Amino acid sequence: MGNFYAEAVASGEKIFSIAPMLDWTDRHYRYLARLLSKRALLYTEMVVADAIIHGDRERLLGFDPSEHPVALQLGGSDPGKLTEAVRIASDFGYDEINLNVGCPSDRVQSGTFGACLMQTPDVVARAVAAMKMVSNVPVTVKCRIGVDEQDPEEALPGLVVPVLEAGADAVWVHARKAWLQGLSPKENRDIPPLDYDIVYRLKQRFPDVFIGINGGILTLDEARAHLAHVDGVMIGRAAYHNTSILGDVDAVLFGEEHEPLSREELLEAMTAYCARFVASGGKLSTVTRHMLGLFQGMPGARRYRQVLSTDAPKPGAGVEVLARAFEAMQPAALAG
């Protein structure tokens, strides 16, 4: 894809992305998301550099070719380890490498990375520079507007300036603070107030740099409104819990006229995918847990979720469970 971020800024083309989410944006969810939108940029869950260096690389990094464009999000703060992780990941063919500077979980705090790195911009800059030296795809950063008692008006540019000087190709900003002390990771997704304007001002300050926005965006209409101010918009939980909105992304945000998949086409594609996964020794529920939000708010959705939630986890469950679940939905559930 080349440096698609630079091309987007130069052409005015916008980017829509699904946010990296721990335990959610695994390869199975990404496969489903790609069936619904050809244009969405997909992200892995955060994968810690140490895990890539010492762990099962195929399990951690493998993905289906249909997922392109797909970005790998890395967690870590040691430039040497991050560089080694990038070298390893390059063989898998990701379209982007992203450094997590926003996750506030206990896990990242104990390792002093994620949102903790908002407090050490020089560390992030060194990491980005090192990653750039070995990456053949864009290297980007996803951050918060600040942490704890930091003043976002100082903390956000205080991170972004050295990161851009180090060569970062894009910055995605979750438009909230993270409170490392006093709030749980879940509370950090909702309680700190959103400040979209500070991200808009960041884009005005850096007109030639890709700046994307994330945080609290629930609908494609909201996404389109943000795209009047920034280069990209990233949706997280709304794209997971109400997955069907992805079927409208290409038309609503990019003006493409192809019809979204029908219920029958989606059932056929996911049945084939699940059959391959189960045949390889996987459990059906590993995939179907990501499908519960497919028909949110549509007639039959409650029964659909009930079948998947109850029957897919049973020992020996096969793809016939999908057929039973989809029977609960009206034929035109995803059409139009």
Side-chain angles (χ1 to χ4, degrees), residues 35-37 244 246-251 256-263 265-266 333-336:
L35 288 174
L36 299 173
S37 170
S244 63
L246 298 179
D248 294 325
V249 164
D250 298 0
E256 297 189 358
E257 296 182 357
H258 63 80
E259 289 292 322
L261 291 183
S262 67
R263 183 194 70 166
E265 291 169 329
L266 189 60
L334 275 186

Side-chain angles (χ1 to χ4, degrees), residues 314-327:
K314 292 179 179 177
V319 294
E320 68 280 354
V321 174
L322 282 181
R324 289 202 302 273
F326 272 67
E327 283 173 3

Side-chain angles (χ1 to χ4, degrees), residues 51-272:
I52 293 173
I53 295 168
H54 302 293
D56 182 340
R57 294 169 185 178
E58 177 57 38
R59 181 181 64 82
L60 293 167
L61 298 175
F63 63 91
D64 190 279
S66 68
E67 293 176 36
H68 288 293
V70 58
L72 169 65
Q73 186 181 67
L74 290 178
S77 59
D78 183 290
K81 292 179 178 179
L82 287 166
T83 298
E84 182 62 19
V86 172
R87 283 199 185 100
I88 294 167
S90 65
D91 291 337
F92 287 80
Y94 283 95
D95 299 291
E96 170 193 341
I97 304 294
N98 177 267
L99 181 61
N100 185 318
V101 189
C103 179
S105 73
D106 294 338
R107 180 185 181 193
V108 304
Q109 290 192 53
S110 65
T112 321
F113 58 99
C116 300
L117 292 173
M118 291 294 302
Q119 299 169 321
T120 54
D122 57 322
V123 174
V124 181
R126 288 198 300 272
V128 167
M131 292 161 69
K132 283 285 291 184
M133 289 183 68
V134 297
S135 178
N136 57 2
V137 296
V139 172
T140 67
V141 167
K142 185 172 186 286
C143 65
R144 293 279 184 138
I145 62 173
V147 295
D148 296 342
E149 299 297 339
Q150 285 184 327
D151 178 356
E153 298 292 347
E154 297 177 359
L156 182 57
L159 175 82
V160 170
V161 170
V163 160
L164 293 179
E165 290 175 348
D169 295 288
V171 179
W172 289 94
V173 184
H174 185 151
R176 304 180 197 269
K177 267 190 176 185
W179 286 90
L180 303 175
Q181 305 295 325
L183 292 181
S184 70
K186 181 178 184 299
E187 290 170 330
N188 264 303
R189 293 194 294 266
D190 295 302
I191 292 178
L194 288 157
D195 186 353
Y196 295 132
D197 286 341
I198 196 172
V199 187
Y200 298 167
R201 293 196 299 275
L202 186 70
K203 174 58 189 177
Q204 292 168 359
R205 178 173 173 178
F206 298 102
D208 298 325
V209 174
F210 182 98
I211 303 293
I213 199 166
N214 170 229
I217 303 166
L218 301 179
T219 69
L220 296 185
D221 285 341
E222 292 176 17
R224 186 162 47 189
H226 286 297
L227 290 175
H229 303 279
V230 291
D231 303 301
V233 64
M234 183 179 275
I235 294 184
R237 284 168 291 161
Y240 189 88
H241 293 308
N242 185 15
T243 320
S244 63
I245 70 170
L246 298 179
D248 294 325
V249 164
D250 298 0
V252 172
L253 298 183
F254 299 102
E256 297 189 358
E257 296 182 357
H258 63 80
E259 289 292 322
L261 291 183
S262 67
R263 183 194 70 166
E264 291 77 13
E265 291 169 329
L266 189 60
L267 173 59
E268 180 180 1
M270 289 308 297
T271 296

